[in-house]
């Protein structure tokens, strides 16, 4: 068994707003092993990206981590100073952001923007070494060397996203977070990029956190996964196990809302209602108002949200396990 | 690029032609016979009057006069000043221009750099107490009634405190036995400023390729020191040494006007930089830069401020255009005998050839400034770089 590279333990984060505290991340606990690919899935606003930005300590100024810890390779990230964090960022943990379109500074050449990151973490490298490194990365993601001298607006969306992946790999990070890397791309390019990420991950033995709202992509990409709802993880475990045997009502609905290409034609199910407001937090089960067929415990709010182990490594929120 | 510049130059010639004709027509609309002023000039022999009249067709109908003026203009013949008769407008401008250029190029450089720097800091420290106060101060100095403000400063620093001279650009008693003209010193100072800024620019561009940030910084610092030592030697050897006291006199007279105009002019740049940069700071690539672990200072300067530069430069170029016509007020208040005063006097005294020449000069200047603005955009923003057509 390889060791855990990232351990997130009981992480709580909220945003201070004028209307109150928005509890964006509640008691999130998960770990990622070396070389593992971990998926985080959930609908818009469920806190996936908040988790991602908290992992790099890049959350906005009004975000407060109230408790919990993030251990990256035995190093505690919560409470690090800015200069300590700067050394960790990109060198140990890097991120592929949503929307590669805007991830590049429009007035600086692609090569220079990648070189800038390497220069920050390996200041003694010569220009030639850095160029060779970038060229090597470009080869992995399938880009020509000449892209280095291009400006971002001269590249297509897919090329930009490939370059972003090269950028994320430039300082040999231990773990890469991919935060909806295919959002702004068309399906054909999406597929290419996903294959690219998978190839790179296997080639370099990277640990990867893949964040997406598309459960089909998660199925294709990850070994283990977690389903998030209203800032909390409601189910987590091996991807195969969750797909074959979803236990939480929300996961089941999520799976039934995605059409399958093979097999019999089933009617897709939609979920009524809206996600709950996270202002000032929630008591009891967050999902019960939308639960199509809640069990008595769930309806009456008898059970607090707590993950229980259902089978080996497969956890689900106790509240909705028995719902319809 | 070359093709683009040629095309733009042709456009500029057409625009300038229209400008020239309409200015002439406007001056022609001034009531009274401006040319009769010439008759009152005691320096002018009567036959010369007749000759000027014939050469420039001043007794012909308007249409022919315009035609003749434009033809003469493009031949480089601007006529003679009605007021300072034997002198031509070109001579007058050549005497006044260096004074204005010196004063206002210093003002503009100082105002732009202070404005850009302060705006950058304001955007970066958004929400802090210092930001609030500096923003309020900037809005005040942006909106203050300039002539009143300039007079107050002149009264306070020049009269009350007595730190700076009130008006004029030199102490005449110092120059009484000077072996040369003030213009010599002015053009020398302009050349010096130009060479120093070019050297610094080259030092900056040449070091861009150095990979290690620390050695890049060191080399830049060393080049700055070298330039400083070089200028020290320049002013302390040979010809320049003899001219130094005179140059110092002019520089001393420049301090107050530069300060006053800078206080008024920096605010526009600062507020614009602040707004643009606050927009830029919300962009995703700033987040990417932070995630890359780049230092805060570098994110501020290289990523945010650099991208916010474009609109700021646009507005700055338009300010440069007003160097000459905007100087009318400043030069009047500080009794600085430059282009602005020349223009004002020429218009008031109906010295039409001088006024026309000065106006056309402003026009040419504005057109060239716009061309430079367009070319500099393409360096600042690769997205609008001009592609050669074909």
């Amino acid at each position: 068994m390889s060791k855990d590279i990232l351990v997130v333990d009981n992480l709580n984060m909220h945003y201070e707003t004028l209307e109150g505290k928005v509890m964006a991340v509640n008691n999130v606990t998960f770990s990622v092993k070396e070389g593992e690919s971990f998926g985080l899935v959930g609908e818009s606003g469920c806190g996936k990206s908040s988790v991602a930005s908290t992992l790099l300590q890049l959350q906005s100024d009004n975000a407060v981590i109230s408790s919990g810890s993030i251990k990256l390779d035995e190093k505690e990230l919560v409470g690090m100073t800015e200069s300590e964090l700067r050394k960790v960022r990109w060198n140990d943990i890097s991120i592929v952001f949503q929307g590669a379109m805007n991830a590049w500074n429009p007035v600086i050449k692609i090569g220079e923007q990648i070189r800038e990151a390497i220069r920050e973490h390996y200041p003694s490298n010569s220009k030639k070494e850095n160029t060779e490194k970038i060229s090597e990365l470009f080869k992995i993601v399938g880009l020509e060397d000449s892209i280095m001298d291009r400006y971002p607006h001269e590249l297509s969306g897919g090329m930009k996203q490939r370059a972003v992946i090269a950028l994320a790999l430039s300082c040999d990070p231990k773990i890469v977070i991919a935060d909806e890397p295919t959002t702004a791309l068309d399906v054909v390019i999406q597929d290419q990029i996903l294959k690219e990420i998978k190839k790179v991950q296997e080639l370099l033995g990277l640990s990867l956190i893949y964040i997406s709202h598309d459960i089909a992509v998660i199925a294709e990409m990850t070994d283990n996964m977690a389903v998030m709802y209203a800032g909390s993880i409601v189910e987590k475990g091996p991807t195969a196990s969750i797909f074959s045997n979803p236990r939480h009502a929300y996961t089941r609905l999520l799976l039934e809302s995605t059409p399958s290409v093979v097999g019999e034609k089933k009617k897709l199910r939609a979920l009524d209602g809206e996600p709950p407001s996270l202002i000032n937090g929630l008591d009891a089960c967050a999902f019960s108002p939308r639960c199509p067929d809640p069990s008595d415990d769930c309806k009456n709010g008898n059970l607090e949200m707590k993950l229980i182990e259902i089978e080996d490594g497969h956890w689900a929120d106790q509240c909705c396990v028995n719902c319809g | 690029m070359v093709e683009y510049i040629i095309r733009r130059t042709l456009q500029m010639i057409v625009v300038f032609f229209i400008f020239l004709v309409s200015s002439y027509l406007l001056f022609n609309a001034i009531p009274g016979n401006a040319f009769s002023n010439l008759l009152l000039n005691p320096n002018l022999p009567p036959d010369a009057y007749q000759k000027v009249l014939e050469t420039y067709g001043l007794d012909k109908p308007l249409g022919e006069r315009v035609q003749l003026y434009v033809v003469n203009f493009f031949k480089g013949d601007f006529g003679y000043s009605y007021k300072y008769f034997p002198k031509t407008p070109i001579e007058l401008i050549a005497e006044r221009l260096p004074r204005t250029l010196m004063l206002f190029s210093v003002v503009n450089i100082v105002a732009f750099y202070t404005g850009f720097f302060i705006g950058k800091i304001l955007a970066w420290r958004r929400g802090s107490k210092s930001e609030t106060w500096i923003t309020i101060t900037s809005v005040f100095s942006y909106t203050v009634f300039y002539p009143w403000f300039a007079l107050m400063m002149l009264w306070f620093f020049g009269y009350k405190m007595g730190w700076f001279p009130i008006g004029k650009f030199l102490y005449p008693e110092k120059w009484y036995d000077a072996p040369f003209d003030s213009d010599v010193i002015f053009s020398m100072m302009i050349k010096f400023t130009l060479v120093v800024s070019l050297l610094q620019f080259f030092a900056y561009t040449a070091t861009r390729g150095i990979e290690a940030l620390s050695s890049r910084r060191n080399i830049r610092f060393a080049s700055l020191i070298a330039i400083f030592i070089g200028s020290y030697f320049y002013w302390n050897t040979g010809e320049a040494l003899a001219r130094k006291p005179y140059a110092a006199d002019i520089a001393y007279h420049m301090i107050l006007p530069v300060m006053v105009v800078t206080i008024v002019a920096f605010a526009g740049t600062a507020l614009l930089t602040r707004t643009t940069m606050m927009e830029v700071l919300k962009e995703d690539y700033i987040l990417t830069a932070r995630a890359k672990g780049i230092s805060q200072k570098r994110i501020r300067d290289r990523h945010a401020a650099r991208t916010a530069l474009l609109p700021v430069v646009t507005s700055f170029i338009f300010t440069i255009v007003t160097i000459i016509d905007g100087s009318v007020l400043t030069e009047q208040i500080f009794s600085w005998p430059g282009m602005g005063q020349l223009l004002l006097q020429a218009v008031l005294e109906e010295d039409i050839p001088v006024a026309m020449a000065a106006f056309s000069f402003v026009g040419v200047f504005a057109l060239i400034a716009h061309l430079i603005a367009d070319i500099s955009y393409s360096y600042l923003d690769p997205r609008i770089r001009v592609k050669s057509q074909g």
Side-chain angles (χ1 to χ4, degrees):
Chain A
M1 209 56 182
S2 51
K3 64 172 179 139
D4 286 341
I5 189 103
L6 178 79
V7 182
V8 178
D9 189 26
N10 233 343
L11 187 69
N12 283 287
M13 192 269 273
H14 64 261
Y15 295 104
E16 301 271 1
T17 67
L18 291 175
E19 285 160 54
K21 292 176 177 175
V22 179
M23 315 301 274
V25 178
N26 301 316
N27 296 322
V28 167
T29 301
F30 66 89
S31 59
V32 182
K33 291 190 174 58
E34 218 163 46
E36 178 193 331
S37 161
F38 184 83
L40 210 51
V41 70
E43 62 194 10
S44 301
C46 76
K48 305 172 302 240
S49 294
S50 289
V51 170
S53 62
T54 315
L55 289 181
L56 274 114
Q57 300 288 296
L58 277 176
Q59 64 275 42
S60 50
D61 293 336
N62 61 344
V64 179
I65 299 175
S66 47
S67 66
S69 85
I70 302 167
K71 277 207 172 71
L72 177 68
D73 207 18
E74 314 282 289
K75 267 182 292 188
E76 177 61 53
L77 295 189
V78 177
M80 261 193 182
T81 62
E82 185 67 26
S83 58
E84 285 170 329
L85 279 169
R86 271 179 48 205
K87 292 202 186 79
V88 174
R89 286 181 190 151
W90 229 251
N91 203 10
D92 290 339
I93 181 164
S94 68
I95 183 162
V96 177
F97 281 109
Q98 292 184 8
M101 304 301 141
N102 306 321
W104 295 104
N105 188 325
V107 299
I108 306 176
K109 284 177 182 164
I110 297 279
E112 171 59 25
Q113 293 193 47
I114 301 177
R115 202 171 288 138
E116 187 179 51
I118 307 177
R119 197 156 52 204
E120 195 67 40
H121 296 286
Y122 301 95
S124 56
N125 275 15
S126 71
K127 190 167 189 171
K128 195 161 157 262
E129 280 172 322
N130 288 347
T131 311
E132 273 165 15
K133 172 86 192 170
I134 298 170
S135 145
E136 197 181 298
L137 290 169
F138 274 6
K139 213 166 281 159
I140 296 175
V141 296
L143 286 176
E144 304 257 326
D145 278 359
S146 62
I147 302 289
M148 270 186 251
D149 291 323
R150 295 286 183 84
Y151 286 97
H153 70 279
E154 296 174 300
L155 269 55
S156 71
M159 282 154 99
K160 265 187 228 177
Q161 192 58 281
R162 281 165 198 266
V164 167
I165 295 169
L167 174 66
L169 299 173
S170 58
C171 294
D172 305 313
K174 300 191 178 92
I175 183 162
V176 176
I177 302 170
D179 186 0
E180 309 219 22
T182 55
T183 308
L185 304 171
D186 64 72
V187 237
V188 179
I189 307 293
Q190 266 188 30
D191 187 53
Q192 288 177 7
I193 295 292
L194 288 178
K195 286 206 179 94
E196 213 65 72
I197 293 177
K198 199 150 180 66
K199 190 182 89 189
V200 168
Q201 195 224 341
E202 277 159 13
L203 192 72
L204 305 176
L206 274 178
S207 308
L208 179 76
I209 297 179
Y210 196 95
I211 296 175
S212 176
H213 60 267
D214 188 346
I215 201 161
V217 171
I218 296 283
E220 193 180 324
M221 296 290 295
T222 62
D223 309 323
N224 290 299
M225 65 181 279
V227 181
M228 275 189 87
Y229 183 76
S232 313
I233 290 182
V234 291
E235 185 162 5
K236 66 177 176 184
T239 309
S241 164
I242 287 181
F243 271 80
S244 60
N245 184 17
R247 297 304 302 269
H248 195 278
Y250 180 66
T251 318
R252 260 175 272 157
L253 276 159
L254 207 55
L255 285 172
E256 283 169 26
S257 69
T258 319
S260 172
V261 181
V262 290
E264 60 173 311
K265 195 171 160 188
K266 276 188 279 189
K267 195 167 163 36
L268 298 181
R269 285 180 71 183
L271 186 53
D272 292 329
E274 284 173 16
S277 159
L278 295 174
I279 292 174
N280 296 328
L282 299 159
D283 315 317
C285 181
F287 189 59
S288 68
R290 296 173 82 187
C291 199
D293 184 13
S295 64
D296 290 343
D297 283 340
C298 178
K299 210 165 20 187
N300 303 330
N302 291 343
L303 294 171
E304 56 180 21
M305 288 185 92
K306 189 175 168 231
L307 293 177
I308 50 169
E309 191 159 20
I310 291 157
E311 51 196 51
D312 190 29
H314 184 165
W315 300 66
D317 185 11
Q318 57 178 354
C319 165
C320 276
V321 168
N322 300 317
C323 302
Chain B
M1 200 67 195
V2 177
E3 195 193 329
Y4 174 75
I5 293 174
I6 292 171
R7 212 170 56 227
R8 278 298 304 268
T9 315
L10 290 178
Q11 278 174 16
M12 274 161 54
I13 290 171
V14 174
V15 172
F16 182 70
F17 177 77
I18 296 169
F19 172 83
L20 200 63
V21 171
S22 39
S23 321
Y24 194 90
L25 294 178
L26 274 177
F27 274 113
N28 194 66
I30 297 176
N33 181 7
F35 189 62
S36 58
N37 279 353
L38 202 57
L39 272 179
L40 303 172
N41 192 333
N43 297 334
L44 190 69
D47 54 327
Y49 175 80
Q50 203 55 40
K51 199 165 174 238
V52 171
L53 200 70
E54 275 161 22
T55 321
Y56 298 105
L58 296 174
D59 51 354
K60 301 242 168 65
L62 182 61
E64 278 176 57
R65 256 187 296 159
V66 174
Q67 220 179 341
L68 199 60
Y69 184 81
V70 173
V71 170
N72 280 339
F73 185 93
F74 283 106
K75 277 189 206 154
D77 181 359
F78 299 88
Y80 293 96
S81 164
Y82 292 171
K83 184 152 180 256
Y84 310 95
F85 171 67
K87 283 193 173 175
T88 63
I90 292 297
E91 279 168 353
L92 286 172
I93 289 175
E95 185 189 69
R96 300 295 190 96
L97 189 65
R99 302 173 188 166
T100 300
L101 269 188
M102 184 66 210
L103 180 65
F104 281 87
S105 47
V106 171
V107 164
N108 271 285
I109 292 170
V110 174
F112 180 76
Y113 273 98
T114 359
F116 187 61
F117 184 76
I118 288 178
K120 193 164 85 173
I121 304 289
L122 286 181
W124 194 248
R125 294 202 184 150
R126 187 172 186 199
S128 69
K129 220 172 220 156
S130 57
E131 190 252 359
T132 318
W133 283 111
I134 298 175
T135 308
I136 291 174
T137 319
S138 308
V139 172
F140 171 78
S141 79
Y142 186 60
T143 49
V144 74
F145 181 56
Y146 169 62
W148 173 82
F149 181 71
L151 285 172
M152 288 316 271
M153 297 292 275
L154 199 61
W155 170 77
F156 185 76
F157 286 108
Y159 174 71
K160 203 81 179 153
M161 310 299 286
W163 291 347
F164 300 111
I166 304 175
K168 295 282 179 294
F169 67 117
L170 40 77
Y171 285 123
E173 59 269 27
K174 263 196 184 173
W175 290 71
Y176 188 68
D177 50 0
F180 35 69
D181 228 340
S182 68
D183 290 349
V184 181
I185 305 293
F186 267 116
S187 51
M188 193 175 146
M189 285 165 84
I190 292 177
K191 270 179 217 152
F192 174 75
T193 322
L194 199 70
V195 168
V196 165
S197 16
L198 279 180
L199 278 179
Q200 214 176 332
F201 178 74
F202 283 131
Y204 184 83
T205 2
T207 48
R208 278 181 94 166
I210 297 173
E211 196 67 3
L213 283 179
S214 56
S215 55
R216 189 191 294 184
R217 200 165 41 231
N218 290 343
I219 291 175
R220 276 180 191 172
F221 188 65
S223 71
L224 212 63
I225 289 179
I227 290 173
F228 192 76
I229 293 173
S231 23
Y232 181 80
F233 274 108
Y234 174 74
W235 285 109
N236 284 296
T237 46
E239 213 180 23
L241 181 63
R243 292 173 178 185
K244 197 165 72 168
Y246 299 98
D249 187 35
I250 290 176
Y252 179 54
H253 279 79
M254 272 172 61
I255 296 177
L256 193 61
V258 167
M259 196 172 82
V260 172
V261 186
T262 303
I263 289 177
V264 175
F266 94 96
T269 312
L271 293 173
L272 185 65
T273 311
R274 173 175 171 269
T275 322
T276 334
M277 193 159 134
M278 266 166 8
E279 277 309 307
V280 173
L281 284 175
K282 283 186 216 145
E283 295 283 347
D284 282 349
Y285 51 81
I286 300 296
L287 195 65
T288 313
R290 281 180 64 203
K292 281 196 282 194
I294 290 167
S295 68
Q296 296 286 320
K297 188 171 169 291
R298 203 169 152 75
I299 295 176
R300 186 189 74 196
D301 295 347
R302 184 90 173 93
H303 285 269
R306 170 69 180 76
T307 322
L309 197 60
L310 193 72
V312 181
V313 168
T314 314
S315 86
F316 175 65
I317 300 267
F318 292 130
T319 338
I320 289 189
V321 173
T322 60
I323 279 188
I324 291 170
D325 44 355
S327 65
V328 171
L329 215 52
T330 312
E331 288 183 356
Q332 202 61 28
I333 290 169
F334 291 98
S335 331
W336 189 272
M339 280 289 284
Q341 276 205 346
L342 181 72
L343 198 67
L344 190 66
Q345 275 169 13
V347 172
L348 288 179
E349 289 163 2
E350 297 193 22
D351 193 351
I352 289 173
V354 176
M356 272 302 291
F359 266 115
S360 346
F361 194 82
V362 174
V364 172
F365 203 78
L367 288 169
I368 291 176
H370 277 90
L371 179 69
I372 292 174
D374 282 353
I375 294 171
S376 69
Y377 286 169
S378 62
Y379 284 98
L380 288 173
D381 193 342
R383 284 170 294 184
I384 52 173
R385 202 154 284 179
V386 185
K387 299 249 163 58
S388 57
Q389 300 195 329

